[in-house]
Amino acid sequence: MRLLLTSDTHVPARAKRLPEALLAALAEADAVIHAGDWTDEATLDLLESRSRRLIAVYGNNDGPALRRRLPETARAELGGLRFAVVHETGPAAGRERRCAALFPDTDVLVFGHSHIPWDSTAPGGLRLLNPGSPTDRRRQPHHTYLTLTAEDGALGDIVLHRLAAGVS
């Protein structure tokens, strides 16, 4: 199962539209995971229309309309793995232990908020993934998103995609 992970799209506040490379990659994904901070319903509508399956949550910058449509936490089984999706996980210090305690029945936790790509494993095996942001790199060198595979209970082919400058 091919997955595409994104977060913190912030359209139209940080970009007028999603990058073409990200939109093109949607067609290759069996499921798309968005970890919040959409800021507009049009981007949610776009991803819903172009994704085979969309698993998504709202973020701290998402207003009432998005919060009515999306949960704070989403869960799905994909490729034999139990995924959870949230926007915020708190400070980086202690993140692995904190998230392992909060999500004991989860194999992979996808999160956003920081705009900083993250890939770590907590004691006990919980994998934590943050795809960064395709539209607002903040202090990061690149706009980013992640692709990976989930098959037979294992993750594979994890790629952090760096998008060209001027994507907005």
Side-chain angles (χ1 to χ4, degrees):
M1 174 170 270
R2 297 166 301 186
L3 308 177
L4 183 148
L5 281 54
T6 191
S7 186
D8 298 285
T9 46
H10 292 279
V11 173
R14 299 287 190 255
K16 294 179 183 91
R17 62 187 180 281
L18 294 177
E20 287 302 319
L22 176 68
L23 293 173
L26 295 174
E28 299 171 18
D30 297 306
V32 174
I33 298 174
H34 192 298
D37 271 6
W38 304 77
T39 69
D40 78 332
E41 286 188 276
T43 303
L44 173 56
D45 294 340
L46 176 67
L47 263 62
E48 282 180 329
S49 72
R50 292 198 182 188
S51 302
R52 288 185 187 104
R53 180 175 181 189
L54 178 64
I55 302 151
V57 298
Y58 67 78
N60 61 297
N61 284 299
D62 295 328
L66 286 161
R67 289 172 186 242
R68 279 192 295 275
R69 294 177 63 184
L70 297 167
E72 183 176 14
T73 302
R75 295 180 182 276
E77 186 167 323
L78 303 166
L81 293 166
R82 298 164 300 172
F83 281 75
V85 185
V86 297
H87 184 62
E88 295 185 59
T89 59
R95 178 176 285 143
E96 286 82 7
R97 281 189 296 279
R98 188 172 54 251
C99 289
L102 290 170
F103 297 93
D105 59 343
T106 301
D107 300 308
V108 182
L109 178 64
V110 179
F111 67 99
H113 188 61
S114 68
H115 301 213
I116 300 170
W118 186 281
D119 182 352
S120 66
T121 304
L126 174 67
R127 187 75 172 264
L128 290 92
L129 297 173
N130 184 327
S133 171
T135 57
D136 185 13
R137 62 185 178 87
R138 288 197 182 157
R139 294 170 296 281
Q140 299 305 300
H142 304 282
H143 298 95
T144 58
Y145 69 95
L146 277 168
T147 58
L148 54 114
T149 59
E151 189 172 347
D152 297 326
L155 295 180
D157 304 315
I158 299 173
V159 177
L160 180 67
H161 297 267
R162 296 175 173 173
L163 297 164
V167 295
S168 58

